[in-house]
Amino acid sequence: MFNFHYRLERNAIGFVLAIIVVASIGGFIEIAPLFTIDETVEKAPDMRVYTPLEVAGRNIYIREGCYACHSQMIRTLRDEVERYGPYSLAVESKYDHPMLWGSKRTGPDLARVGGKYSNDWMTAHLNNPRDVVPESNMPAYRWLLRNQLETADLGEHLAALRAVGVPYTDDMIANAPKDAVGQANPDTDLATGVTERYGEKTDVSLFDGNQGSVTEMDALVAYLQVLGHLTGAAHTTPQNEVE
Amino acid sequence: MISQLTGNERVLAALTFLILLCVGVAMAAAGRDDLIGTHGWIIAVSAIAGAVALLRAYDAPEPSATRLSEYYDDPSKVGIILTLIWGVIGMLVGVWVAALLAWPELTIDAAWASFGRLRPVHTSGVIFGFGGNALIATSFHVLQRTTRARLPDQFSPWFVLFGYNLFCVLAASGYLMGITQSKEYAEPEWYADIWLVVVWVVYFSIYIRTLLRRKEPHIYVANWYYMAFILVVALLHIINNLAVPISFGHAKSYSLFSGVQDAMTQWWYGHNAVAFFLTAGFLGMMYYYLPKRAGRPIYSYRTSIISFWGITFMYMWAGSHHLHYTALPHWVQSLGMAFSVVLLVPSWASAGNALLTLNGAWHKVRDDAVLRFMMLAAIFYGLATFEGSFMAIRAVNSLSHYTDWTIGHVHAGALGWVAMITYGSLYALTPWLWKRPALYSAKLVEWHFWLALSGTVVYVFAMWNSGVIQGLMWRTYNDSGTLSYSFVDSLVAMHPYYIARAFGGLLFLSGAVIALYNIVMTIRSPVAVASESASDIPLGLEPAAPIAQAGE
């Protein structure tokens, strides 16, 4: 073996090839089957896609680095299930390009935060967390209420998401900017289009409390309120593997 | 710098700046309504600045042919300065964001100044800015000395060094504006990623072209590690960053992978960025500078072989230990755990090999803070890899994951291993490259050593405490069978440790500032009687008889 290596280390090209081969094996064996083994991702026929407003909110979540302090992955541990709800299934992040499971909980897990707090609470909390949770060390995101949401290019966002595998229809892509405005403005003509395209259960609300304009706060709150609600699969799957 | 380029290389440089200018202007035009436009301008302005520098020296006489009988060290020299500057910037931001966690009201009401945007400036600043520049600078130096061949040309090393720093600037400025993919330690968007691939291909070509012209029959072990670093980082970077941009006028892209597949890909990347960027590259550094400084040969050649291939093979399986108890299939979690535990063998073989190399030179460790930096790095490498294998065990991970324990572990490696071996190597390298008899102040190196050590210890102990407390509070039940603590209770318990952590970071940062000062003063000190070391020239070109001394 050492004699072989004695020869190998005299051959630059051979050494390069050896590194590439040896280093490729592990990743190939662990990643490639995840795409081919069917049981990897559960089936969830009721799964819906994110609305344009939720996509925009998700992008704000990414932009502000929320994932650095909040996970979206409830582990199969008893205390986590009791604290946060049923443990997360792979299917629940099927349309998450990229996933936001996170690696650190400076703040609590958000995988099932949707519906736990009112829109008003969410808006107040994001605007200054210490107004509602005095002990919090989360930054205040005051600019979210000040910034108007950029909606014009949301169709392009949905088209790109379709290119990577999210089943958006032509109709959804064509109406993306309108649907974003509609979801944040209930009781308008635009709002009806949202429930037509994304289902009756879609949350159409004054997320930031203001009719008319659509702010970045609207988008982020809409996203947070849908977390854990794209599919009910986690609530119907028996959770028998908790440790 | 420009005057060292040959005529053809100057044309090549002009062409490069022209292409870069066109790309920058095209990005600025296509992305005038998007943040990518700002980055287009940054690229265009960088190209113009380069072109102006080129034009000012364009008519300088061509370098004489005697340059070929010397090593080409100027890119390493600039790289050392950049390393030290990025180190101070990255650690300063680190101390600041640590303070924000303890005192959130310190932050100002501006989007760019919030924790979520500054944190990747810290991580990328220290990993890529500080660590990457250190690797580039030292790899050029080690490569030439261990092959006894000069770098293949004068243009490509500068292209790699400045191109890489342009990537770092795009990354850091992007985070402040809100451009991020959210992939941990791979946050820059698609165009910056493509640019890094271009830079990396040139970096590899420098390496392979020099190796093919080497005058030593064997490729020295430091180069195995530097090559593994270059090759595997390319593999990881390209696959992890596969994405579809919204358009050429948008910074935003959507990752090709989603959900569980993306999670596995991201941590395959994330853990091996640790393995091949922060471990393999710096092991390359250690395998050259530690024996050189100690004046002792590497203790065991065979251990070097076993640990190198062990690390190269096994690390690539270990990423899934970041996903214990998640929606990742159980079989992948188990594989990751098994390989992570076995990984301790090659890791400790490397650390032991380094420490045993010091046998016969322990009196130097006592007297020479530079060598002591390298020894301490090897010890922290051993500690951090032991802790890593331990934390990869599922049951341990159930407690440690999502807590500050992970942050403590990362910093035991980053401060204790990566930064210590870097500062030790740069302290050794600076007087050699600038032909100074010694560093400006040995006393300041002592100061830096003790500040760095105490800072690391304070930091790591603070995070161990907070992490274990956090993990235990989350899973504590009271007598009635319900959870004892709310999440906020655990957050309140962290406060003293967050203050201690910021203090530890501040100690380490002060050391980094001292290092910058000491090295700048060394460079500015008067040149000693210039005596070109007789052996420090490429082989086969020197006028006198060949010199038998190997390695340098």
Side-chain angles (χ1 to χ4, degrees):
Chain A
M1 180 185 130
F2 292 109
N3 282 334
F4 170 73
H5 201 274
Y6 197 75
R7 287 200 304 278
L8 180 66
E9 68 188 49
R10 297 169 68 117
N11 182 338
I13 302 290
F15 210 96
V16 165
L17 294 176
I19 289 173
I20 293 173
V21 170
V22 169
S24 299
I25 299 168
F28 184 76
I29 291 181
E30 288 187 351
I31 297 174
L34 299 179
F35 290 93
T36 56
I37 298 175
D38 281 342
E39 297 93 86
T40 303
V41 180
E42 306 82 359
K43 301 279 173 287
D46 66 334
M47 177 95 178
R48 80 155 166 89
V49 295
Y50 290 109
T51 65
L53 190 65
E54 291 155 7
V55 166
R58 192 171 192 277
N59 289 340
I60 292 166
Y61 184 98
I62 289 173
R63 181 186 79 190
E64 303 302 347
C66 305
Y67 58 86
C69 294
H70 293 282
S71 58
Q72 289 185 23
M73 172 48 62
I74 302 165
R75 295 182 292 170
T76 56
L77 298 170
R78 186 177 143 216
D79 59 288
E80 298 218 348
V81 171
E82 289 186 16
R83 190 182 294 277
Y84 300 115
Y87 62 72
S88 299
L89 301 181
V91 68
E92 292 179 279
S93 49
K94 181 166 81 160
Y95 297 142
D96 283 13
H97 294 264
M99 63 90 196
L100 294 172
W101 292 7
S103 59
K104 175 74 174 68
R105 284 180 188 153
T106 304
D109 187 275
L110 300 180
R112 308 209 182 284
V113 79
K116 269 195 184 170
Y117 302 91
S118 68
N119 291 334
D120 288 349
W121 188 93
M122 284 281 193
T123 303
H125 181 253
L126 285 163
N127 198 52
N128 183 20
R130 276 157 299 286
D131 287 349
V132 283
V133 184
E135 305 91 342
S136 172
N137 68 347
M138 182 170 132
Y141 293 92
R142 295 193 177 87
W143 56 93
L144 296 178
L145 272 175
R146 297 197 293 260
N147 290 0
Q148 294 301 303
L149 183 70
E150 171 75 49
T151 52
D153 56 7
L154 280 171
E156 292 174 85
H157 283 259
L158 264 51
L161 279 166
R162 182 161 73 176
V164 294
V166 185
Y168 284 108
T169 62
D170 290 339
D171 192 30
M172 289 170 170
I173 291 171
N175 289 290
K178 284 186 207 158
D179 286 347
V181 177
Q183 196 182 351
N185 289 291
D187 306 322
T188 60
D189 294 344
L190 291 175
T192 47
V194 179
T195 41
E196 272 170 29
R197 273 179 282 276
Y198 296 91
E200 285 302 323
K201 287 191 199 157
T202 308
D203 188 5
V204 178
S205 302
L206 294 176
F207 294 102
D208 69 353
N210 291 314
Q211 183 84 30
S213 67
V214 182
T215 62
E216 293 189 337
M217 183 68 84
D218 276 312
L220 184 55
V221 174
Y223 170 65
L224 292 172
Q225 295 290 29
V226 82
L227 286 177
H229 294 280
L230 288 181
T231 165
H235 298 273
T236 53
T237 312
Q239 300 246 316
N240 49 10
E241 290 162 41
V242 179
E243 288 171 41
Chain B
M1 187 177 309
I2 303 294
S3 58
Q4 293 164 356
L5 302 184
T6 63
N8 285 339
E9 286 168 344
R10 287 176 207 184
V11 174
L12 196 59
L15 213 60
T16 307
F17 291 133
L18 186 67
I19 294 171
L20 213 53
L21 180 65
C22 293
V23 170
V25 170
M27 278 168 67
R32 61 194 172 281
D33 300 324
D34 190 85
L35 294 171
I36 198 176
T38 314
H39 270 168
W41 285 118
I42 290 180
I43 293 170
V45 168
S46 312
I48 291 170
V52 168
L54 179 69
L55 285 176
R56 284 168 60 124
Y58 203 85
D59 295 329
E62 289 214 12
S64 75
T66 57
R67 74 175 190 282
L68 296 175
S69 61
E70 291 167 359
Y71 292 125
Y72 193 46
D73 288 329
D74 283 27
S76 296
K77 290 182 179 178
V78 176
I80 290 173
I81 308 292
L82 288 169
T83 304
L84 294 166
I85 293 173
W86 273 109
V88 170
I89 295 172
M91 293 174 205
L92 181 69
V93 178
V95 173
W96 176 246
V97 293
L100 288 183
L101 284 178
W103 303 287
E105 295 294 349
L106 284 179
T107 196
I108 55 172
D109 182 22
W112 65 266
S114 82
F115 178 88
R117 296 199 190 185
L118 287 178
R119 181 214 179 235
V121 177
H122 163 59
T123 52
S124 289
V126 291
I127 298 173
F128 299 117
F130 173 73
N133 274 302
L135 288 172
I136 292 173
T138 56
S139 68
F140 288 159
H141 175 257
V142 171
L143 175 65
Q144 296 182 89
R145 286 351 185 252
T146 53
T147 58
R148 305 214 68 178
R150 183 185 159 93
L151 293 178
D153 65 303
Q154 285 75 230
F155 171 71
S156 50
W158 292 113
F159 178 83
V160 170
L161 186 68
F162 289 129
Y164 180 76
N165 280 277
L166 176 60
F167 166 79
C168 293
V169 167
L170 291 179
S173 60
Y175 307 149
L176 296 179
M177 293 189 285
I179 302 175
T180 172
Q181 291 193 96
S182 85
K183 298 199 161 196
E184 282 196 78
Y185 318 115
E187 290 92 348
E189 271 291 355
W190 59 276
Y191 51 94
D193 290 335
I194 293 173
W195 172 244
L196 185 62
V197 172
V198 174
V199 170
W200 222 247
V201 168
V202 178
Y203 191 15
F204 175 69
S205 85
I206 293 176
Y207 233 86
I208 198 73
R209 282 186 294 159
T210 310
L211 283 177
L212 291 173
R213 289 166 36 253
R214 71 187 183 279
K215 301 295 189 300
E216 293 285 336
H218 289 269
I219 301 171
Y220 181 60
V221 53
N223 288 320
W224 311 347
Y225 280 105
Y226 280 121
M227 271 203 299
F229 148 62
I230 296 170
L231 290 166
V232 182
V233 166
L235 179 75
L236 298 165
H237 173 77
I238 291 170
I239 293 180
N240 185 47
N241 285 306
L242 291 173
V244 174
I246 289 160
S247 77
F248 289 112
H250 279 89
K252 177 77 190 164
S253 68
Y254 286 100
S255 162
L256 196 58
F257 310 121
S258 71
V260 61
Q261 293 94 357
D262 185 46
M264 186 59 227
T265 308
Q266 279 199 39
W267 285 110
W268 169 77
Y269 168 90
H271 194 71
N272 289 297
V274 175
F276 289 89
F277 207 98
L278 297 177
T279 304
F282 291 88
L283 281 170
M285 215 182 264
M286 184 189 80
Y287 269 106
Y288 182 79
Y289 294 102
L290 184 137
K292 281 290 288 183
R293 186 75 182 188
R296 308 278 311 164
I298 279 292
Y299 174 72
S300 165
Y301 161 71
R302 293 187 169 189
T303 310
S304 310
I305 295 175
I306 292 169
S307 49
F308 174 77
W309 290 106
I311 284 172
T312 306
F313 178 67
M314 285 192 277
Y315 250 112
M316 297 299 266
W317 297 76
S320 51
H321 70 225
H322 289 255
L323 300 166
H324 280 326
Y325 301 98
T326 67
L328 182 76
H330 210 290
W331 65 269
V332 197
Q333 299 181 25
S334 304
L335 269 179
M337 173 170 105
F339 275 94
S340 304
V341 172
V342 185
L343 198 48
L344 188 60
V345 175
S347 299
W348 272 27
S350 299
N353 209 2
L355 292 173
L356 289 169
T357 300
L358 294 171
N359 269 352
W362 288 103
H363 61 288
K364 291 187 188 169
V365 176
R366 184 190 62 208
D367 299 334
D368 177 12
V370 175
L371 189 57
R372 216 180 309 129
F373 260 111
M374 300 186 201
M375 180 222 44
L376 193 66
I379 290 177
F380 267 105
Y381 177 63
L383 289 174
T385 48
F386 173 76
E387 189 188 22
S389 294
F390 183 61
M391 291 168 78
I393 298 169
R394 267 170 71 85
V396 180
N397 197 266
S398 73
L399 180 76
S400 74
H401 193 55
Y402 292 137
T403 74
D404 286 320
W405 188 352
T406 310
I407 315 303
H409 167 63
V410 169
H411 284 81
L415 302 177
W417 155 241
V418 173
M420 300 270 189
I421 193 69
T422 301
Y423 283 118
S425 301
L426 296 192
Y427 280 137
L429 181 54
T430 301
W432 297 343
L433 280 190
W434 273 276
K435 315 249 185 285
R436 299 293 191 275
L439 285 165
Y440 168 70
S441 164
K443 200 159 199 168
L444 284 179
V445 182
E446 282 287 349
W447 268 96
H448 181 192
F449 176 83
W450 291 107
L451 280 170
L453 176 57
S454 52
T456 308
V457 170
V458 170
Y459 190 112
V460 170
F461 271 88
M463 291 293 96
W464 274 341
N465 275 300
S466 68
V468 172
I469 292 173
Q470 222 172 5
L472 289 175
M473 284 179 86
W474 291 345
R475 57 160 64 167
T476 302
Y477 285 84
N478 56 28
D479 293 338
S480 58
T482 53
L483 292 166
S484 291
Y485 301 103
S486 71
F487 191 90
V488 165
D489 291 338
S490 74
L491 179 67
V492 171
M494 296 307 101
H495 188 66
Y497 301 110
Y498 285 177
I499 296 173
R501 180 250 298 269
F503 177 67
L506 189 63
L507 292 178
F508 203 93
L509 170 67
S510 338
V513 173
I514 291 176
L516 175 62
Y517 174 76
N518 201 3
I519 287 185
V520 168
M521 291 306 285
T522 306
I523 297 166
R524 292 181 52 170
S525 66
V527 185
V529 189
S531 62
E532 188 86 4
S533 162
S535 64
D536 196 24
I537 47 173
L539 201 65
L541 292 159
E542 66 272 41
I547 295 143
Q549 189 184 351
E552 177 179 340

